[in-house]
Amino acid sequence: MKKLILIVAIILVTIFIAFGCSYSPVDVQSYEYKPNQKTQYISSDGELIEEAYNQNRTYVKLQDMPQDLKDGIIAVEDSRFYEHKGYDLIGIIRALFTNVKEGEIAEGASTITQQLARNLFEEITTEQTVMRKINEVMVARQLEKKYSKDQILEMYLNEIYLGSGTYGVQEASVKYFGKDVKDLDLAESAMLAGLPQAPSAYAPDEHFDLAKKRQEIVLRRMVSGEYITEDEANKAKEAEIIIVSAEVKEDDKVDGEYRAFINQVVLEYVGILQEKHPDREITREDAKESIQNDGLTIQTTLDSRVQALGVESINDGLRSSGLDELATGALVTVDHSTGAVLAYYGGNTEIDMASKPRSPASVIKPFIYAKAFDDGLLTPNSLIKDESITFANYTPRNVDNKFVGYLTAREAIVDSRNIPAIKTMNAIGANNTLEYIKKFGITTIAQKDYNNLAIATGGMTNGITPIEMTQAFSAFSNGGVINEVHFIKSITDSNKKIIYERKASEKNNWQMMKPETAREMKDILVDVVGRGTGTNAKSSYITGGKTGTSSENKDLWFVGFTGNITSSVWIGNVDNKSLSGSSSRSAQIYGDYTNKLIQENLIQKNSLKPVVSHNDTTSIFILSPDVNYTEGQSISIGQVISIVVPADQIGYFEDKRVYPVEIDKESGKLFVEDHCPVQNKETRYYLMGQGPTQTCDLDHLWDKIEDFFNPVPKEPGEGIENTDEPNLEIESPNRDSDDNV
């Protein structure tokens, strides 16, 4: 039976050798070799943050491989490589006799070219059959006709599987020895050359003893082939080989810290491919296939140091507030001067919360006021009355259920009062406001949101994502200009050729609001942090921002800017459940985070401006806008209101300011101490320059006689000149209150 098998095998060999030129299971001539190579994502500070591949391979040229490695491979895998034409007839016959002797296929006799054919073409199966061997030889013959020996050897050394998830000699070299393949010595090269026969069995990080025995076989073959001397082989056998410890993949880091960012990079790459191929629809799967096979180097915008501090600050903030088991957090940081995303963290769940829309709460208010400022409807000093009011069937309220009366638009934002924001949106028009907000790049506005004044306090159908909120907010600190956020700086192909490079254009940056509006809004938002609801975000450098706490404390926001960066911090949970606390927690995280960035010099120094004062304001008293005033008339205390204004804005209200004047009520002229009777003294209030200017000129003789016999006791402090403004009991808004109702 064995003899019969041998005869049949020899006949088959003779047939395929004789007629091989007319048969091939694949069309080698039209085939173009393109190795599947891994793609690397590189951070802006030069760190490798992720790799993507179907096969973990990095292609290297033959000239960049050590000669000892090439010689070792040839010596042990195919000693007649440079002599045969793709198959080794002597080896095949030897293998046939061995297989007949053993009664099974125990030896393959595949040349390097045959092994390459098997790796390149799926049509050649891995089954140990005579037909597979015939197919393998035929394809090998065709490969030898198309490619040179060195080209075949280069492809082979880059294609072969070498254990532990590595393909090609470069990745195997890094995996096992911690160095590039070009830096391997003879001992290491021989060990690597021994792996193709049984890569998993000989993998040196798992089976070093077996790998060492196999290395010694390779060294003996190299001596036999006169590639090295016996002395060189002995030294290589004795040389110490250091195998790097099996790398523990930081799944938490890749899957958690960078996962959401990488997903955004893939989405942006879809758009890049679509621009290159406008004739067909590019899907996410198309982009992923390219990334996993094309050996790209994607230079991203992310700064790994900024990212690490952001994630650390979120985790520390959740832990310190007791929310680490109940909530997750998202953080986005953008360089608003370019739109580059420096940090992007979607939280510790499978859902990327940085791209999930949530109720913006009061963070939306600055956009409403910006529209009013842009349209000339309001200025920061415009007075708005915080009062009970009903719009059709909607009766909004403030979170503290109080109304503070008149306050400036600035203070309405600083104290995050709801009624003034809703009034402002109503004056602009709800739909006009939403169309304006859309222009910031907000894509989550639903049809149901139109004609809905509750939008002014965050009552949206869907909400706004942290990434879009960060982009929109960046206009306030960038002169009204929005630079579209982006994740990719450039892409190079496997040949290091730049195939994409981000460039600024009208398409990806635009003037969102007037520069003056942006300056005013920035100044107000700095006040929010300095003395309003965002004080937990304070820094020694100018910082502005806005808090936001949605109904039932489901979303805790802080969005702000420091120097050249704008960041969003969101705290909540996937299930949209209530949390304890308010947006002051998010402001605290922002403050801790930006202070760390400043300490590590990760914010551009020339963009940082020291804070002179966090609260350079004063309270002044003015005539209520409700009063129908006639020039020269005195004003009662009930017609006076107290407002808070920045010290440099007092002059704006000079014609509305109210001053106390002590008069003699009998003469109606200025009271004169020690001349006019005390019982005649009366404090009246006037606008600047409209009170009496003449002093009392009555002799008050009878009054003086009456005073002499019936002296009027003086109140403590009476008789001391008082130039202060009136002490009016007007309640100030609660600065801890925040958001929507």
Side-chain angles (χ1 to χ4, degrees):
M1 183 64 180
K2 288 184 178 180
K3 289 183 179 179
L4 179 61
I5 294 174
L6 177 60
I7 293 170
V8 170
I10 293 174
I11 292 172
L12 288 172
V13 169
T14 303
I15 291 172
F16 80 70
I17 289 175
F19 299 100
C21 291
S22 60
Y23 168 76
S24 176
V26 294
D27 183 5
V28 176
Q29 288 306 311
S30 61
Y31 169 75
E32 292 202 13
Y33 175 63
K34 183 181 179 183
N36 291 336
Q37 297 190 65
K38 69 180 180 182
T39 286
Q40 294 186 322
Y41 298 88
I42 310 297
S43 69
S44 62
D45 56 317
E47 294 294 320
L48 173 64
I49 59 176
E50 176 66 301
E51 294 179 329
Y53 49 80
N54 282 325
Q55 296 178 342
N56 185 15
R57 175 186 293 106
T58 299
Y59 198 91
V60 289
K61 295 291 186 182
L62 192 65
Q63 60 264 31
D64 294 326
M65 302 178 194
Q67 189 62 44
D68 287 335
L69 175 60
K70 293 179 278 189
D71 292 342
I73 284 286
I74 291 172
V76 75
E77 289 293 326
D78 188 358
S79 60
R80 300 180 64 247
F81 173 68
Y82 281 103
E83 300 168 22
H84 63 65
K85 295 183 178 180
Y87 62 92
D88 186 351
L89 184 58
I90 296 173
I92 291 173
I93 294 174
R94 183 181 65 245
L96 284 171
F97 276 103
T98 300
N99 293 337
V100 170
K101 181 179 178 182
E102 296 293 330
E104 59 182 3
I105 298 179
E107 186 173 324
S110 291
T111 64
I112 284 176
T113 313
Q114 288 174 251
Q115 292 181 54
L116 178 62
R118 193 163 63 239
N119 281 322
L120 292 182
F121 301 106
E122 295 179 353
E123 291 85 351
I124 301 176
T125 68
T126 56
E127 296 180 74
Q128 292 279 25
T129 65
V130 173
M131 182 54 66
R132 191 268 290 178
K133 184 62 66 176
I134 293 174
N135 288 338
E136 191 178 279
V137 169
M138 292 302 97
V139 174
R141 281 172 58 87
Q142 297 299 317
L143 287 173
E144 292 269 350
K145 290 180 180 180
K146 183 170 184 175
Y147 298 105
S148 69
K149 287 289 187 181
D150 282 352
Q151 286 175 316
I152 290 170
L153 182 60
E154 179 176 302
M155 287 188 282
Y156 172 77
L157 290 171
N158 279 288
E159 285 290 329
I160 50 173
Y161 180 66
L162 293 172
S164 296
T166 63
Y167 290 81
V169 293
Q170 170 63 19
E171 284 303 323
S173 178
V174 172
K175 174 70 177 179
Y176 300 131
F177 309 118
K179 60 178 73 172
D180 290 331
V181 66
K182 64 182 176 62
D183 297 322
L184 297 185
D185 59 22
L186 173 58
E188 294 162 335
S189 294
M191 182 167 285
L192 201 59
L195 299 183
Q197 185 186 69
S200 297
Y202 295 140
D205 59 344
E206 297 288 341
H207 309 288
F208 182 78
D209 290 343
L210 291 177
K212 188 75 174 89
K213 290 178 180 178
R214 180 65 177 164
Q215 176 219 39
E216 292 175 0
I217 292 173
V218 173
L219 290 169
R220 286 199 300 272
R221 295 279 184 90
M222 293 179 74
V223 171
S224 298
E226 298 183 351
Y227 293 109
I228 58 174
T229 65
E230 190 75 44
D231 184 53
E232 288 173 324
N234 290 333
K235 287 181 179 178
K237 290 177 186 178
E238 298 300 322
E240 180 184 10
I241 295 180
I242 298 175
I243 304 298
V244 296
S245 300
E247 181 182 350
V248 178
K249 186 177 181 181
E250 298 180 46
D251 286 324
D252 288 342
K253 180 175 181 180
V254 173
D255 292 342
E257 184 172 332
Y258 294 123
R259 182 189 66 247
F261 178 81
I262 295 299
N263 286 338
Q264 292 299 315
V265 172
V266 173
L267 288 176
E268 189 165 310
Y269 185 52
V270 171
I272 292 170
L273 288 178
Q274 190 66 72
E275 287 191 2
K276 290 182 176 294
H277 305 282
D279 54 323
R280 64 186 180 93
E281 182 181 356
I282 301 296
T283 66
R284 182 185 177 88
E285 292 307 310
D286 293 331
K288 288 179 70 174
E289 182 179 353
S290 171
I291 287 171
Q292 291 176 345
N293 295 301
D294 290 351
L296 307 174
T297 299
I298 302 177
Q299 297 289 341
T300 72
T301 59
L302 182 135
D303 188 312
S304 66
R305 301 163 298 177
V306 177
Q307 176 84 357
L309 291 175
V311 175
E312 177 185 288
S313 298
I314 288 282
N315 292 337
D316 288 349
L318 291 174
R319 191 163 41 249
S320 65
S321 59
L323 293 175
D324 49 327
E325 299 296 327
L326 303 172
T328 186
L331 179 143
V332 178
T333 294
V334 170
D335 180 346
H336 51 242
S337 66
T338 64
V341 177
L342 304 180
Y344 185 95
Y345 178 58
N348 56 12
T349 71
E350 292 300 312
I351 298 174
D352 174 12
M353 299 307 293
S355 64
K356 185 174 179 60
R358 297 297 290 249
S359 168
S362 286
V363 177
I364 202 171
K365 291 174 181 174
F367 306 121
I368 298 169
Y369 285 102
K371 172 64 172 170
F373 291 175
D374 244 4
D375 289 352
L377 182 66
L378 293 178
T379 74
N381 291 322
S382 295
L383 294 174
I384 309 172
K385 193 172 187 179
D386 182 12
E387 62 182 340
S388 178
I389 190 170
T390 296
F391 302 91
N393 297 321
Y394 177 44
T395 303
R397 59 185 177 86
N398 293 306
V399 72
D400 58 4
N401 289 315
K402 296 178 181 179
F403 306 103
V404 300
Y406 281 104
L407 71 171
T408 63
R410 175 188 294 272
E411 295 307 302
I413 300 170
V414 169
D415 293 321
S416 200
R417 305 301 289 176
N418 289 338
I419 305 302
I422 296 167
K423 279 187 169 184
T424 300
M425 184 173 182
N426 185 60
I428 298 167
N431 294 351
N432 290 337
T433 303
L434 286 175
E435 290 302 316
Y436 180 75
I437 291 173
K438 270 187 176 180
K439 294 177 183 177
F440 282 88
I442 305 301
T443 63
T444 50
I445 295 173
Q447 192 60 40
K448 291 181 181 179
D449 293 331
Y450 286 89
N451 297 310
N452 179 13
L453 289 176
I455 296 294
T457 56
M460 299 177 68
T461 303
N462 299 317
I464 298 176
T465 66
I467 181 64
E468 289 188 353
M469 182 66 82
T470 310
Q471 174 179 283
F473 228 79
S474 68
F476 298 131
S477 50
N478 196 42
V481 173
I482 289 181
N483 290 296
E484 185 180 44
V485 296
H486 59 280
F487 301 83
I488 299 174
K489 294 171 69 176
S490 66
I491 302 174
T492 55
D493 63 16
S494 57
N495 295 317
K496 307 306 178 187
K497 177 184 176 183
I498 296 176
I499 59 174
Y500 170 79
E501 191 167 21
R502 175 81 177 189
K503 294 180 180 177
S505 68
E506 292 181 1
K507 182 179 178 181
N508 53 40
N509 70 76
W510 62 96
Q511 186 77 42
M512 181 59 224
M513 65 186 72
K514 297 173 183 176
E516 178 63 14
T517 296
R519 186 196 64 77
E520 291 171 341
M521 286 304 308
K522 179 179 180 180
D523 192 48
I524 294 171
L525 294 170
V526 169
D527 276 351
V528 171
V529 172
R531 56 188 178 83
T533 59
T535 53
N536 279 358
K538 277 183 184 176
S539 166
S540 56
Y541 294 95
I542 290 175
T543 294
K546 185 71 188 75
T547 52
T549 307
S550 67
S551 295
E552 301 179 20
N553 300 346
K554 294 178 180 178
D555 303 278
L556 313 180
W557 287 86
F558 183 83
V559 186
F561 50 82
T562 305
N564 65 298
I565 67 167
T566 298
S567 300
S568 287
V569 175
W570 171 88
I571 300 297
N573 55 54
V574 174
D575 300 327
N576 207 30
K577 294 180 179 178
S578 299
L579 299 173
S580 61
S582 69
S583 54
S584 60
R585 297 187 188 279
S586 297
Q588 184 69 58
I589 291 172
Y590 177 95
D592 293 343
Y593 169 54
T594 51
N595 284 326
K596 289 174 184 176
L597 295 180
I598 291 169
Q599 291 170 9
E600 297 297 325
N601 296 316
L602 294 175
I603 300 179
Q604 293 176 8
K605 283 189 174 182
N606 62 358
S607 71
L608 293 170
K609 308 297 180 186
V611 172
V612 177
S613 172
H614 283 297
N615 189 2
D616 187 17
T617 62
T618 187
S619 293
I620 62 172
F621 299 93
I622 65 172
L623 181 67
S624 170
D626 293 334
V627 175
N628 187 12
Y629 179 73
T630 301
E631 185 174 350
Q633 75 178 57
S634 64
I635 301 167
S636 68
I637 194 168
Q639 297 173 315
V640 177
I641 62 172
S642 171
I643 62 171
V644 175
V645 297
D648 62 358
Q649 294 296 307
I650 292 176
Y652 179 88
F653 296 94
E654 200 59 37
D655 62 340
K656 301 179 183 67
R657 289 185 70 185
V658 172
Y659 294 87
V661 179
E662 291 183 345
I663 66 166
D664 181 285
K665 61 183 178 181
E666 184 177 352
S667 67
K669 298 180 180 180
L670 295 175
F671 183 85
V672 179
E673 202 68 45
D674 296 329
H675 173 72
C676 299
V678 174
Q679 63 269 29
N680 279 18
K681 183 190 291 186
E682 183 176 271
T683 302
R684 295 181 185 174
Y685 306 97
Y686 296 90
L687 294 179
M688 172 64 75
Q690 295 189 22
T693 58
Q694 295 179 340
T695 58
C696 179
D697 54 4
L698 296 179
D699 57 19
H700 294 295
L701 180 59
W702 177 253
D703 292 321
K704 289 178 180 179
I705 293 172
E706 187 176 344
D707 281 349
F708 178 78
F709 290 102
N710 299 292
V712 178
K714 293 183 177 181
E715 294 294 331
E718 190 175 349
I720 300 174
E721 184 177 359
N722 180 12
T723 58
D724 293 338
E725 297 183 349
N727 179 21
L728 304 179
E729 296 296 329
I730 298 178
E731 187 172 359
S732 296
N734 177 8
R735 296 194 186 280
D736 292 330
S737 68
D738 193 10
D739 293 321
N740 80 313
V741 177

